[in-house]
Amino acid sequence: MAQLPGPGQQNIRLYQRKGLLTPDRTAGGTRQDSDSDLKVLRRISELLEEGLNLAGVAKVLELEAVNARLQSELKRLRPRRGQ
């Protein structure tokens, strides 16, 4: 991820310390970035460009995750209504 254009290695580490990114790690402690981690990193960059600070970014990411879970639950429950 550090080789991609955008935030540098120091910023990525800061995002991890703030809990914005939580990549998997190998047994040796090497970070293993997933496609999901890259999407989160892009979203962080978008929100920072829009003028949010890291606390605001954290709140938006939290709310987006809650919204996604609720949408998923709603989709799961909707078919039951017709029974």
Side-chain angles (χ1 to χ4, degrees):
M1 192 173 346
Q3 280 82 25
L4 295 175
Q9 185 68 29
Q10 289 180 3
N11 286 339
I12 292 170
R13 287 186 183 126
L14 174 63
Y15 303 157
Q16 288 176 310
R17 284 194 305 273
K18 297 286 186 179
L20 302 175
L21 283 174
T22 53
D24 291 331
R25 300 260 178 195
T26 65
T30 303
R31 188 177 66 230
Q32 291 188 317
D33 301 310
S34 67
D35 288 339
S36 176
D37 295 325
L38 295 175
K39 287 178 187 176
V40 171
L41 186 59
R42 285 187 196 104
R43 186 65 177 135
I44 291 169
S45 294
E46 290 171 1
L47 293 169
L48 290 172
E49 287 176 15
E50 291 177 15
L52 275 70
N53 61 19
L54 289 181
V57 169
K59 193 61 171 175
V60 168
L61 293 177
E62 176 188 340
L63 291 171
E64 288 176 345
V66 168
N67 188 38
R69 283 193 301 272
L70 290 171
Q71 290 292 331
S72 177
E73 182 71 10
L74 185 59
K75 284 180 186 178
R76 186 182 69 77
L77 293 174
R78 275 202 172 136
R80 292 183 183 179
R81 289 178 40 196
Q83 294 177 352

Coordinates of all heavy atoms in Angstrom, one line a residue:
M1 N 0.8 -1.2 0.0 CA 0.0 0.0 0.0 C 0.9 1.3 0.0 O 0.5 2.3 -0.6 CB -0.9 0.0 1.2 CG -2.0 1.0 1.2 SD -3.2 1.0 2.5 CE -3.1 -0.5 3.4
A2 N 2.0 1.2 0.7 CA 2.9 2.3 0.7 C 3.4 2.8 -0.6 O 3.8 3.9 -0.8 CB 4.0 2.1 1.7
Q3 N 3.5 1.9 -1.6 CA 4.0 2.2 -2.9 C 2.9 2.9 -3.8 O 3.3 3.5 -4.8 CB 4.5 0.9 -3.7 CG 5.8 0.5 -3.2 CD 5.8 -0.3 -2.0 OE1 4.8 -1.0 -1.7 NE2 6.9 -0.3 -1.2
L4 N 1.7 2.9 -3.4 CA 0.6 3.5 -4.1 C 0.7 5.0 -4.0 O 1.2 5.5 -3.0 CB -0.8 3.1 -3.7 CG -1.1 1.6 -3.9 CD1 -2.4 1.3 -3.2 CD2 -1.1 1.2 -5.3
P5 N 0.2 5.8 -5.0 CA 0.2 7.2 -4.9 C -0.8 7.6 -3.8 O -1.8 6.9 -3.5 CB -0.3 7.7 -6.2 CG -0.5 6.5 -7.1 CD -0.2 5.3 -6.3
G6 N -0.5 8.6 -3.1 CA -1.3 9.1 -2.0 C -0.6 9.2 -0.7 O 0.6 9.6 -0.7
P7 N -1.2 8.8 0.4 CA -0.6 9.0 1.7 C 0.7 8.2 1.8 O 0.8 7.1 1.3 CB -1.6 8.5 2.7 CG -2.5 7.6 1.9 CD -2.5 8.1 0.5
G8 N 1.7 8.7 2.5 CA 2.9 8.0 2.7 C 2.9 7.0 3.9 O 1.8 6.9 4.5
Q9 N 3.9 6.3 4.0 CA 4.0 5.3 5.1 C 3.7 5.8 6.5 O 3.1 5.2 7.2 CB 5.4 4.7 5.0 CG 5.6 3.5 6.0 CD 4.8 2.3 5.5 OE1 4.5 2.1 4.4 NE2 4.4 1.5 6.5
Q10 N 4.2 7.1 6.7 CA 4.0 7.6 8.1 C 2.5 7.9 8.3 O 2.0 7.6 9.4 CB 4.7 8.9 8.2 CG 6.2 8.7 8.4 CD 7.0 10.1 8.5 OE1 6.4 11.1 8.6 NE2 8.3 10.0 8.6
N11 N 1.8 8.4 7.3 CA 0.3 8.6 7.4 C -0.4 7.3 7.6 O -1.3 7.2 8.4 CB -0.2 9.3 6.2 CG 0.2 10.8 6.2 OD1 0.5 11.4 7.2 ND2 0.1 11.4 5.0
I12 N 0.0 6.3 6.9 CA -0.6 4.9 7.0 C -0.5 4.4 8.4 O -1.4 3.9 9.0 CB -0.1 4.0 6.0 CG1 -0.5 4.4 4.6 CG2 -0.5 2.5 6.2 CD1 0.1 3.6 3.4
R13 N 0.7 4.6 9.0 CA 1.0 4.2 10.4 C 0.1 5.0 11.3 O -0.4 4.4 12.3 CB 2.4 4.3 10.7 CG 3.3 3.3 10.1 CD 4.7 3.3 10.6 NE 5.5 2.4 9.9 CZ 6.6 2.6 9.2 NH1 7.1 3.9 9.2 NH2 7.3 1.7 8.6
L14 N -0.1 6.3 11.1 CA -0.9 7.1 11.9 C -2.4 6.6 11.8 O -3.0 6.5 12.9 CB -0.8 8.6 11.4 CG -1.8 9.6 12.1 CD1 -1.5 9.7 13.6 CD2 -1.7 10.9 11.5
Y15 N -2.8 6.3 10.7 CA -4.2 5.8 10.5 C -4.4 4.5 11.3 O -5.4 4.3 11.9 CB -4.6 5.6 9.0 CG -4.4 6.8 8.2 CD1 -4.2 6.7 6.8 CD2 -4.4 8.1 8.7 CE1 -4.1 7.8 6.0 CE2 -4.3 9.2 7.8 CZ -4.1 9.0 6.5 OH -4.0 10.1 5.7
Q16 N -3.4 3.7 11.3 CA -3.4 2.4 12.1 C -3.5 2.7 13.6 O -4.3 2.1 14.3 CB -2.2 1.6 11.8 CG -2.3 0.9 10.4 CD -1.0 0.1 10.1 OE1 0.1 0.6 10.3 NE2 -1.3 -1.1 9.6
R17 N -2.7 3.7 14.0 CA -2.7 4.0 15.5 C -4.0 4.6 15.9 O -4.4 4.4 17.0 CB -1.5 5.0 15.8 CG -0.2 4.4 15.8 CD 0.9 5.3 16.5 NE 0.9 6.6 15.9 CZ 1.7 7.0 14.8 NH1 2.5 6.0 14.3 NH2 1.7 8.2 14.4
K18 N -4.6 5.3 15.0 CA -5.9 5.9 15.3 C -7.1 4.9 15.1 O -8.2 5.2 15.4 CB -6.2 7.1 14.4 CG -5.2 8.3 14.6 CD -5.5 9.0 15.9 CE -4.6 10.2 16.0 NZ -4.9 11.0 17.2
G19 N -6.8 3.7 14.6 CA -7.8 2.7 14.5 C -8.6 2.8 13.2 O -9.6 2.2 13.0
L20 N -8.1 3.6 12.3 CA -8.8 3.8 11.0 C -8.5 2.7 10.0 O -9.4 2.3 9.2 CB -8.4 5.1 10.3 CG -8.7 6.4 11.2 CD1 -8.2 7.6 10.5 CD2 -10.2 6.5 11.5
L21 N -7.4 2.1 10.1 CA -7.0 0.9 9.3 C -6.6 -0.2 10.3 O -5.9 0.0 11.2 CB -5.8 1.2 8.5 CG -6.0 2.1 7.2 CD1 -4.7 2.4 6.6 CD2 -6.9 1.3 6.2
T22 N -7.0 -1.4 10.0 CA -6.6 -2.6 10.8 C -6.3 -3.7 9.9 O -7.0 -4.7 9.8 CB -7.7 -3.0 11.8 OG1 -8.9 -3.2 11.0 CG2 -8.0 -1.9 12.8
P23 N -5.1 -3.6 9.2 CA -4.7 -4.7 8.3 C -4.3 -6.0 9.0 O -3.9 -5.9 10.2 CB -3.5 -4.1 7.5 CG -3.0 -3.1 8.5 CD -4.1 -2.6 9.2
D24 N -4.5 -7.1 8.3 CA -4.0 -8.4 8.9 C -2.5 -8.3 9.0 O -1.8 -7.6 8.3 CB -4.5 -9.5 8.0 CG -6.0 -9.8 8.1 OD1 -6.5 -9.4 9.2 OD2 -6.5 -10.3 7.1
R25 N -1.9 -9.2 9.8 CA -0.5 -9.3 10.0 C 0.0 -10.7 9.8 O -0.8 -11.7 10.1 CB -0.1 -8.8 11.4 CG -0.4 -7.4 11.6 CD 0.7 -6.5 11.4 NE 0.4 -5.1 11.7 CZ 1.2 -4.1 11.3 NH1 2.3 -4.4 10.7 NH2 0.8 -2.9 11.5
T26 N 1.2 -10.9 9.3 CA 1.7 -12.2 9.2 C 2.2 -12.6 10.6 O 2.3 -11.8 11.5 CB 2.9 -12.3 8.2 OG1 4.0 -11.4 8.7 CG2 2.5 -11.8 6.8
A27 N 2.7 -13.9 10.7 CA 3.2 -14.3 12.0 C 4.4 -13.5 12.4 O 4.7 -13.2 13.6 CB 3.6 -15.8 12.0
G28 N 5.2 -13.0 11.4 CA 6.3 -12.1 11.7 C 6.0 -10.7 11.9 O 6.9 -9.8 12.1
G29 N 4.7 -10.3 11.8 CA 4.3 -8.9 12.0 C 4.2 -8.0 10.8 O 3.9 -6.9 10.9
T30 N 4.5 -8.6 9.6 CA 4.4 -7.8 8.4 C 2.9 -7.5 8.1 O 2.1 -8.4 8.1 CB 5.0 -8.5 7.2 OG1 6.4 -8.8 7.6 CG2 5.0 -7.7 5.9
R31 N 2.6 -6.3 7.7 CA 1.3 -5.9 7.4 C 0.9 -6.6 6.0 O 1.6 -6.6 5.1 CB 1.2 -4.4 7.2 CG -0.2 -3.9 7.1 CD -0.3 -2.3 7.1 NE 0.4 -1.9 5.9 CZ 1.3 -0.9 5.9 NH1 1.7 -0.3 7.0 NH2 1.9 -0.5 4.7
Q32 N -0.4 -7.1 6.0 CA -0.9 -7.7 4.8 C -2.2 -6.9 4.4 O -3.2 -7.0 5.0 CB -1.3 -9.1 5.0 CG -0.1 -10.0 5.1 CD -0.4 -11.5 5.1 OE1 -1.4 -11.9 5.7 NE2 0.4 -12.3 4.4
D33 N -2.0 -6.0 3.4 CA -3.1 -5.2 3.0 C -4.1 -5.9 2.1 O -3.6 -6.5 1.1 CB -2.6 -3.9 2.4 CG -1.7 -3.1 3.3 OD1 -2.1 -2.9 4.4 OD2 -0.5 -2.8 2.9
S34 N -5.3 -5.8 2.3 CA -6.4 -6.4 1.5 C -7.0 -5.3 0.6 O -6.8 -4.1 0.7 CB -7.4 -7.0 2.4 OG -8.1 -6.0 3.1
D35 N -7.8 -5.8 -0.3 CA -8.6 -4.8 -1.2 C -9.5 -3.9 -0.3 O -9.6 -2.8 -0.6 CB -9.5 -5.6 -2.2 CG -8.7 -6.2 -3.3 OD1 -7.5 -5.8 -3.5 OD2 -9.2 -7.2 -3.9
S36 N -10.0 -4.5 0.8 CA -10.8 -3.7 1.7 C -10.0 -2.6 2.4 O -10.5 -1.5 2.5 CB -11.4 -4.7 2.8 OG -12.1 -3.9 3.7
D37 N -8.8 -2.9 2.8 CA -7.9 -1.9 3.3 C -7.6 -0.8 2.4 O -7.6 0.4 2.7 CB -6.5 -2.5 3.8 CG -6.7 -3.5 4.9 OD1 -7.5 -3.4 5.8 OD2 -5.9 -4.5 4.9
L38 N -7.4 -1.1 1.1 CA -7.2 -0.1 0.1 C -8.4 0.8 -0.1 O -8.3 2.0 -0.3 CB -6.8 -0.8 -1.3 CG -5.5 -1.5 -1.2 CD1 -5.3 -2.2 -2.6 CD2 -4.3 -0.6 -0.9
K39 N -9.6 0.2 -0.1 CA -10.8 1.0 -0.2 C -11.0 1.9 1.0 O -11.3 3.1 0.8 CB -12.1 0.0 -0.2 CG -12.2 -0.7 -1.5 CD -13.4 -1.6 -1.5 CE -13.5 -2.5 -2.7 NZ -14.6 -3.4 -2.7
V40 N -10.6 1.5 2.2 CA -10.7 2.3 3.4 C -9.7 3.5 3.2 O -10.0 4.6 3.5 CB -10.5 1.5 4.7 CG1 -10.3 2.4 5.9 CG2 -11.6 0.5 4.9
L41 N -8.5 3.1 2.8 CA -7.5 4.2 2.6 C -7.9 5.2 1.6 O -7.8 6.4 1.8 CB -6.2 3.5 2.2 CG -5.0 4.5 2.1 CD1 -4.7 5.1 3.4 CD2 -3.7 3.7 1.6
R42 N -8.5 4.8 0.5 CA -9.1 5.7 -0.5 C -10.2 6.6 0.1 O -10.2 7.8 -0.1 CB -9.6 5.0 -1.7 CG -8.5 4.5 -2.6 CD -9.1 3.9 -3.9 NE -8.1 3.1 -4.6 CZ -8.1 1.8 -4.6 NH1 -9.0 1.1 -4.0 NH2 -7.1 1.1 -5.2
R43 N -11.0 6.0 1.0 CA -12.1 6.7 1.6 C -11.5 7.7 2.6 O -12.0 8.9 2.7 CB -13.1 5.8 2.3 CG -14.3 6.4 2.9 CD -15.2 7.0 1.8 NE -16.4 7.6 2.4 CZ -16.8 8.8 2.1 NH1 -16.3 9.5 1.1 NH2 -17.9 9.3 2.7
I44 N -10.5 7.4 3.3 CA -9.9 8.3 4.3 C -9.3 9.5 3.5 O -9.5 10.6 3.9 CB -8.7 7.6 5.0 CG1 -9.3 6.6 6.0 CG2 -7.9 8.6 5.8 CD1 -8.3 5.6 6.6
S45 N -8.7 9.2 2.4 CA -8.1 10.3 1.6 C -9.2 11.2 1.1 O -9.1 12.5 1.1 CB -7.3 9.7 0.4 OG -6.2 9.0 0.8
E46 N -10.3 10.7 0.6 CA -11.5 11.5 0.1 C -12.0 12.4 1.3 O -12.2 13.6 1.0 CB -12.6 10.6 -0.3 CG -12.4 9.8 -1.6 CD -13.5 8.8 -1.9 OE1 -14.4 8.7 -1.1 OE2 -13.4 8.1 -2.9
L47 N -12.2 11.8 2.4 CA -12.7 12.6 3.5 C -11.7 13.7 4.0 O -12.2 14.8 4.3 CB -13.1 11.7 4.7 CG -14.2 10.7 4.4 CD1 -14.3 9.6 5.5 CD2 -15.5 11.4 4.2
L48 N -10.5 13.4 4.0 CA -9.5 14.4 4.4 C -9.5 15.5 3.3 O -9.4 16.7 3.7 CB -8.1 13.8 4.5 CG -7.9 12.8 5.7 CD1 -6.5 12.1 5.6 CD2 -8.0 13.6 7.0
E49 N -9.6 15.2 2.1 CA -9.6 16.2 1.0 C -10.9 17.1 1.1 O -10.9 18.2 0.7 CB -9.6 15.5 -0.4 CG -8.3 15.0 -0.7 CD -8.2 14.3 -2.1 OE1 -9.2 14.4 -2.8 OE2 -7.3 13.5 -2.3
E50 N -12.0 16.5 1.7 CA -13.2 17.3 1.9 C -13.1 18.2 3.1 O -14.0 18.9 3.4 CB -14.4 16.3 2.0 CG -14.7 15.6 0.7 CD -15.9 14.6 0.9 OE1 -16.6 14.7 1.9 OE2 -16.1 13.8 0.0
G51 N -12.0 18.1 3.9 CA -11.8 19.0 5.0 C -12.0 18.4 6.4 O -11.9 19.1 7.4
L52 N -12.3 17.1 6.5 CA -12.5 16.5 7.8 C -11.1 16.3 8.4 O -10.1 16.0 7.8 CB -13.2 15.2 7.7 CG -14.8 15.2 7.7 CD1 -15.2 15.8 6.4 CD2 -15.3 13.9 7.9
N53 N -11.1 16.3 9.8 CA -9.9 15.9 10.5 C -10.0 14.4 10.8 O -11.0 13.8 10.4 CB -9.7 16.8 11.8 CG -10.9 16.6 12.8 OD1 -11.7 15.6 12.7 ND2 -11.0 17.5 13.7
L54 N -9.0 13.9 11.4 CA -9.0 12.4 11.6 C -10.1 11.9 12.6 O -10.7 10.9 12.4 CB -7.6 11.9 12.2 CG -6.5 12.0 11.1 CD1 -5.2 11.4 11.8 CD2 -6.8 11.2 9.9
A55 N -10.5 12.8 13.5 CA -11.6 12.4 14.4 C -12.9 12.4 13.6 O -13.7 11.4 13.7 CB -11.8 13.4 15.5
G56 N -13.1 13.3 12.7 CA -14.3 13.3 11.8 C -14.3 12.1 10.8 O -15.3 11.5 10.6
V57 N -13.1 11.8 10.3 CA -12.9 10.7 9.4 C -13.3 9.4 10.2 O -14.1 8.6 9.6 CB -11.5 10.5 8.9 CG1 -11.3 9.2 8.2 CG2 -11.2 11.7 7.9
A58 N -12.9 9.2 11.4 CA -13.2 8.1 12.2 C -14.7 7.9 12.4 O -15.2 6.8 12.3 CB -12.5 8.1 13.6
K59 N -15.3 9.0 12.7 CA -16.8 9.0 12.9 C -17.5 8.7 11.7 O -18.5 7.8 11.7 CB -17.3 10.4 13.5 CG -18.6 10.3 14.0 CD -18.7 9.4 15.2 CE -20.0 9.5 15.9 NZ -20.1 8.5 16.9
V60 N -17.1 9.2 10.5 CA -17.8 8.9 9.3 C -17.6 7.4 8.9 O -18.6 6.8 8.5 CB -17.3 9.8 8.1 CG1 -17.7 9.3 6.8 CG2 -17.7 11.2 8.3
L61 N -16.4 6.9 9.1 CA -16.2 5.5 8.8 C -17.0 4.6 9.7 O -17.6 3.6 9.3 CB -14.7 5.2 8.9 CG -13.7 5.8 7.9 CD1 -12.3 5.4 8.2 CD2 -14.1 5.4 6.5
E62 N -17.1 5.0 11.0 CA -17.9 4.2 11.9 C -19.4 4.2 11.5 O -20.1 3.2 11.5 CB -17.8 4.8 13.3 CG -18.7 4.2 14.4 CD -18.6 4.9 15.7 OE1 -17.7 5.7 15.9 OE2 -19.6 4.8 16.5
L63 N -19.9 5.4 11.2 CA -21.3 5.5 10.7 C -21.6 4.8 9.4 O -22.6 4.2 9.3 CB -21.7 7.0 10.6 CG -21.8 7.8 11.9 CD1 -22.0 9.2 11.7 CD2 -22.9 7.2 12.8
E64 N -20.6 4.8 8.5 CA -20.8 4.1 7.3 C -20.8 2.6 7.5 O -21.6 1.9 6.9 CB -19.7 4.5 6.3 CG -19.9 5.9 5.7 CD -18.7 6.3 4.8 OE1 -17.6 5.7 4.8 OE2 -18.9 7.3 4.1
A65 N -20.0 2.1 8.4 CA -20.0 0.7 8.8 C -21.3 0.3 9.4 O -21.9 -0.8 9.1 CB -18.8 0.4 9.7
V66 N -21.8 1.1 10.3 CA -23.1 0.8 11.0 C -24.2 0.8 9.9 O -25.1 -0.1 9.9 CB -23.4 1.8 12.1 CG1 -24.9 1.7 12.5 CG2 -22.5 1.7 13.2
N67 N -24.2 1.8 9.0 CA -25.2 1.8 8.0 C -25.2 0.6 7.1 O -26.2 0.0 6.7 CB -25.0 3.1 7.1 CG -26.1 3.3 6.1 OD1 -27.3 3.1 6.4 ND2 -25.7 3.8 5.0
A68 N -24.0 0.1 6.7 CA -23.8 -1.1 5.9 C -24.4 -2.3 6.6 O -25.1 -3.1 6.0 CB -22.4 -1.3 5.5
R69 N -24.1 -2.4 7.9 CA -24.7 -3.5 8.7 C -26.2 -3.5 8.7 O -26.9 -4.5 8.6 CB -24.1 -3.6 10.1 CG -22.7 -4.1 10.2 CD -22.2 -4.4 11.6 NE -22.2 -3.3 12.5 CZ -21.2 -2.4 12.6 NH1 -20.1 -2.5 11.9 NH2 -21.3 -1.4 13.4
L70 N -26.7 -2.3 9.0 CA -28.2 -2.1 9.0 C -28.8 -2.5 7.7 O -29.9 -3.1 7.6 CB -28.6 -0.7 9.5 CG -28.3 -0.4 10.9 CD1 -28.5 1.1 11.2 CD2 -29.1 -1.3 11.8
Q71 N -28.2 -2.0 6.6 CA -28.7 -2.3 5.2 C -28.7 -3.8 5.0 O -29.7 -4.4 4.4 CB -27.9 -1.6 4.2 CG -28.1 -0.1 4.1 CD -29.4 0.3 3.7 OE1 -30.1 -0.4 2.9 NE2 -29.9 1.5 4.2
S72 N -27.7 -4.5 5.4 CA -27.6 -5.9 5.3 C -28.7 -6.6 6.1 O -29.3 -7.6 5.6 CB -26.2 -6.4 5.7 OG -26.1 -7.8 5.6
E73 N -28.9 -6.2 7.3 CA -29.9 -6.8 8.1 C -31.3 -6.5 7.5 O -32.1 -7.4 7.5 CB -29.8 -6.2 9.5 CG -30.8 -6.7 10.5 CD -30.5 -8.1 11.0 OE1 -29.4 -8.7 10.7 OE2 -31.4 -8.7 11.6
L74 N -31.5 -5.4 7.0 CA -32.8 -5.1 6.4 C -33.1 -6.0 5.2 O -34.2 -6.5 5.0 CB -32.8 -3.6 6.0 CG -34.1 -3.0 5.4 CD1 -35.2 -3.2 6.4 CD2 -33.9 -1.6 5.0
K75 N -32.0 -6.2 4.4 CA -32.2 -7.1 3.2 C -32.5 -8.5 3.7 O -33.3 -9.2 3.0 CB -30.9 -7.1 2.4 CG -30.8 -5.8 1.5 CD -29.5 -5.9 0.7 CE -29.2 -4.6 0.0 NZ -28.0 -4.6 -0.8
R76 N -31.9 -8.9 4.8 CA -32.1 -10.2 5.3 C -33.5 -10.4 5.8 O -34.1 -11.5 5.6 CB -31.0 -10.5 6.4 CG -31.1 -12.0 6.9 CD -30.1 -12.2 8.0 NE -30.4 -11.5 9.2 CZ -31.3 -11.9 10.1 NH1 -32.0 -13.0 9.9 NH2 -31.5 -11.2 11.2
L77 N -34.0 -9.4 6.4 CA -35.3 -9.5 7.1 C -36.5 -9.2 6.1 O -37.6 -9.7 6.3 CB -35.4 -8.5 8.2 CG -34.5 -8.7 9.4 CD1 -34.6 -7.6 10.4 CD2 -34.9 -10.1 10.1
R78 N -36.3 -8.5 5.0 CA -37.4 -8.1 4.1 C -38.1 -9.3 3.5 O -39.3 -9.3 3.5 CB -36.9 -7.2 3.0 CG -36.9 -5.8 3.4 CD -36.9 -4.9 2.2 NE -37.1 -3.5 2.7 CZ -36.4 -2.5 2.3 NH1 -35.5 -2.7 1.3 NH2 -36.7 -1.3 2.7
P79 N -37.4 -10.4 3.1 CA -38.2 -11.5 2.5 C -39.1 -12.2 3.5 O -40.2 -12.7 3.1 CB -37.1 -12.5 2.1 CG -35.9 -11.7 1.9 CD -36.0 -10.6 2.9
R80 N -38.8 -12.1 4.8 CA -39.7 -12.7 5.8 C -41.0 -12.0 5.9 O -42.0 -12.6 6.4 CB -39.0 -12.6 7.2 CG -37.8 -13.5 7.3 CD -37.2 -13.5 8.7 NE -36.0 -14.3 8.8 CZ -35.3 -14.4 9.8 NH1 -35.6 -13.8 10.9 NH2 -34.2 -15.2 9.8
R81 N -41.1 -10.7 5.6 CA -42.3 -9.9 5.7 C -43.4 -10.5 4.9 O -44.6 -10.4 5.2 CB -42.1 -8.5 5.4 CG -41.3 -7.8 6.5 CD -41.0 -6.3 6.1 NE -42.1 -5.7 5.5 CZ -42.0 -4.5 4.9 NH1 -40.9 -3.9 4.7 NH2 -43.1 -4.0 4.3
G82 N -43.1 -11.1 3.7 CA -44.1 -11.6 2.8 C -44.6 -13.0 3.2 O -45.5 -13.5 2.6
Q83 N -44.0 -13.6 4.2 CA -44.5 -14.9 4.6 C -45.7 -14.9 5.4 O -46.0 -14.2 6.2 CB -43.3 -15.7 5.3 CG -42.2 -15.9 4.4 CD -41.0 -16.6 5.1 OE1 -41.0 -16.7 6.4 NE2 -40.0 -17.0 4.4

